[in-house]
Amino acid sequence: MTLSEPELRAAITRELPGVRADLERLVRIPGIAFDGFDHSHVERSAEAVAELLRGCGLDTRIVRSGGGLPAVIGSRPAPPGAPTVLLYAHHDVQPVGDLALWESDPFVAVERDGRLYGRGAADDKAGVMAHVAALRAYGDELPVGVVIFVEGEEEFGSASLEQLLAEHRDALAADVIVIADSGNWDIGVPALTTSLRGIVNMFVEVRTADHAIHSGMFGGAVPDSLTVLAKLLATLHDDAGDVAVDGLVSAGPTPVDYPEDRLRVEAGLLDGVSFVGTGRLTERIWHRPAVSVLGIDAPRTAEAPNALAPSAKAKLSVRLAPGDDPKSAYAAMKAHLEKHVPWGAHVEVTFEHDGAPCVIDATGPMFDAARDAFRTAWDGVDPVDIGVGGSIPFIATFQEMFPGAAILVTGVEDPHAQAHGPNESLHLGEFARVCLAEALLLRSVADAAGPLAS
Ligand code: BES
């Protein structure tokens, strides 16, 4: 006999203070997998996660592939006849950007108005801790086998993930996968994520001259590279703001819509700034490609001399609709950029990283079990099936390796979490529900697998 619902509620309440203290400890470790950052912190972060898993009684090791960063695998065998559940999260975080925009140190977790602020407090150290909370709540009475896989380079494109999964294929085999790296529909309303966009990031560099030249002597006859880059980037969208790159795929209609005023507030859109693109908002952010300019290397305005810059470089990110393929999307972008560069300027497109989109058929007993667990944890509120505009490349890779496994995509993020931006935060009330939902979910999965077990 495993724990009852009231026992699990009590166990989560008992465990939450310790879980929060450990989350705060994880937030202190600036484990950023991007090139150019000190990767010793990612190593420390993997060790901290491994320690937490050992504390839950899991057989735990730190693994890596090739030159990749460390992931942590922990496991505990299934009781006889019970299913095995793979729990996924990642321990690396995004860079913090401009520190001046943070109201408190990104690597010191601070509570304000019921939210815990800090880089990774939500994405995805809280995902790691939701798994830990569920394991601690059960102690020795876990009704399922578990394998936990905590990745260390998700935010930088998971370069070694495929190899890592192939090397540990047998250890990671599971009947059900719980991915705690997505989010909920709103505060107080849970969600089950059923599609995610893919991603392909790239750089485009344009060159017009072999050195910087006097803007008065040459301007008017010689193009400057920044104007070339601006004109080139402007060809990526049509006047309505829809992506104008041939060869990128769109998916079909979405089942729910997002109120415009809600998205305006959540995005912090300024008065008078319109949305871009056409169609339902959920179609635009879940089911269609998006092309964004993430950064530009160019002279800084305060230091720019009166000279025509000979070269300029932009970082572009394309979100891919479910059904698209990262390799063909990159080829389509490269062809577009090479074709549309104005005035014969030299153009070079280089690949950074990619990840495939995914669609999950959320029907069947495991998904019903998950919905029941969410409904209970949110005191009777039905979960909404949602798409997500962000990406979790692990999912498509996993679907390919284990086509039979049910993939439950859950998570702690809410529309105000500001993941990837300054002042990222976790809603502590929702986090408690997510922890309870995961504990309940493991129980419902064991029950739903009952017929399989016999
Ligand atoms: N947690 C996010 C994915 C996500 C975003 C879920 C928004 C729900 C809502 C994940 O950690 C993430 O940010 N992934 C990266 C992946 C990329 C670097 C390959 C992303 O989407 O930018």
Side-chain angles (χ1 to χ4, degrees):
M1 262 321 268
T2 185
L3 301 185
S4 65
E5 184 198 313
E7 285 170 330
L8 278 177
R9 281 184 187 274
I12 288 291
T13 305
R14 179 190 73 223
E15 296 298 337
L16 269 174
V19 164
R20 169 164 168 188
D22 286 328
L23 173 59
E24 294 187 6
R25 245 170 251 136
L26 288 184
V27 170
R28 291 196 87 90
I29 309 174
I32 298 163
F34 280 50
D35 282 346
F37 286 81
D38 179 356
H39 290 167
S40 70
H41 298 304
V42 184
E43 303 286 338
R44 283 203 296 130
S45 149
E47 279 155 24
V49 170
E51 218 29 63
L52 290 170
L53 300 187
R54 283 190 196 106
C56 296
L58 303 192
D59 183 15
T60 302
R61 62 214 156 111
I62 294 179
V63 296
R64 71 187 76 228
S65 254
L69 288 165
V72 189
I73 298 181
S75 61
R76 187 158 142 169
T84 295
V85 181
L86 175 82
L87 308 175
Y88 169 89
H90 61 89
H91 65 89
D92 65 307
V93 297
Q94 285 274 325
V96 297
D98 184 354
L99 270 179
L101 299 175
W102 285 79
E103 279 169 37
S104 51
D105 185 336
F107 298 111
V108 178
V110 177
E111 181 177 347
R112 292 194 291 273
D113 300 326
R115 303 193 67 105
L116 191 68
Y117 286 80
R119 174 55 92 230
D123 184 9
D124 182 32
K125 289 175 172 176
V128 176
M129 291 315 299
H131 295 319
V132 169
L135 296 173
R136 284 183 184 167
Y138 280 104
D140 287 335
E141 316 225 24
L142 203 58
V144 291
V146 287
V147 183
I148 175 161
F149 179 72
V150 184
E151 199 188 345
E153 53 184 19
E154 196 268 355
E155 297 289 12
F156 194 52
S158 304
S160 67
L161 180 70
E162 265 178 51
Q163 206 186 329
L164 205 54
L165 293 185
E167 284 167 15
H168 298 279
R169 195 195 155 92
D170 292 343
L172 297 172
D175 307 290
V176 180
I177 303 168
V178 179
I179 303 209
D181 188 25
S182 185
N184 289 306
W185 178 248
D186 203 353
I187 311 287
V189 187
L192 195 57
T193 299
T194 59
S195 74
L196 288 106
R197 288 197 287 195
I199 186 168
V200 52
N201 278 7
M202 68 203 70
F203 301 97
V204 56
E205 179 162 18
V206 294
R207 288 183 301 116
T208 47
D210 64 8
H211 61 280
I213 43 181
H214 195 290
S215 57
M217 287 169 74
F218 298 96
V222 174
D224 72 82
S225 63
L226 277 168
T227 300
V228 167
L229 185 62
K231 279 178 77 72
L232 178 56
L233 297 178
T235 66
L236 293 166
H237 296 90
D238 64 18
D239 287 346
D242 283 313
V243 173
V245 178
D246 285 341
L248 298 180
V249 167
S250 288
T254 43
V256 281
D257 202 4
Y258 216 80
E260 282 205 12
D261 48 350
R262 218 185 118 184
L263 198 64
R264 287 195 78 85
V265 171
E266 288 166 7
L269 213 54
L270 299 180
D271 277 351
V273 179
S274 62
F275 288 115
V276 290
T278 51
R280 269 182 141 182
L281 284 176
T282 44
E283 255 167 66
R284 286 183 244 176
I285 57 179
W286 297 347
H287 277 193
R288 296 223 193 131
V291 178
S292 310
V293 181
L294 301 185
I296 289 185
D297 291 338
R300 298 168 64 84
T301 53
E303 296 137 23
N306 285 345
L308 309 182
S311 68
K313 183 175 177 181
K315 178 173 180 176
L316 304 183
S317 184
V318 186
R319 295 291 173 169
L320 309 178
D324 207 347
D325 165 66
K327 302 291 176 251
S328 67
Y330 177 64
M333 283 293 293
K334 191 166 177 335
H336 178 101
L337 292 164
E338 288 170 353
K339 181 173 159 197
H340 287 85
V341 69
W343 304 324
H346 294 197
V347 60
E348 192 180 3
V349 182
T350 46
F351 173 84
E352 190 195 39
H353 64 69
D354 66 13
C358 71
V359 181
I360 295 163
D361 172 13
T363 55
M366 293 305 170
F367 294 95
D368 294 342
R371 289 190 182 93
D372 279 349
F374 288 179
R375 201 174 294 112
T376 308
W378 269 266
D379 298 326
V381 180
D382 281 328
V384 183
D385 278 7
I386 60 167
V388 154
S391 314
I392 307 178
F394 170 85
I395 301 179
T397 311
F398 221 89
Q399 278 178 322
E400 233 177 88
M401 278 177 69
F402 299 106
I407 302 189
L408 309 174
V409 184
T410 71
V412 299
E413 288 173 43
D414 68 82
H416 307 281
Q418 290 192 205
H420 297 200
N423 306 309
E424 173 180 350
S425 67
L426 170 73
H427 188 288
L428 288 163
E430 290 297 283
F431 178 59
R433 292 190 194 277
V434 169
C435 294
L436 174 61
E438 180 155 335
L440 292 166
L441 175 64
L442 297 182
R443 211 176 62 120
S444 339
V445 160
D447 291 346
L452 295 178
S454 55

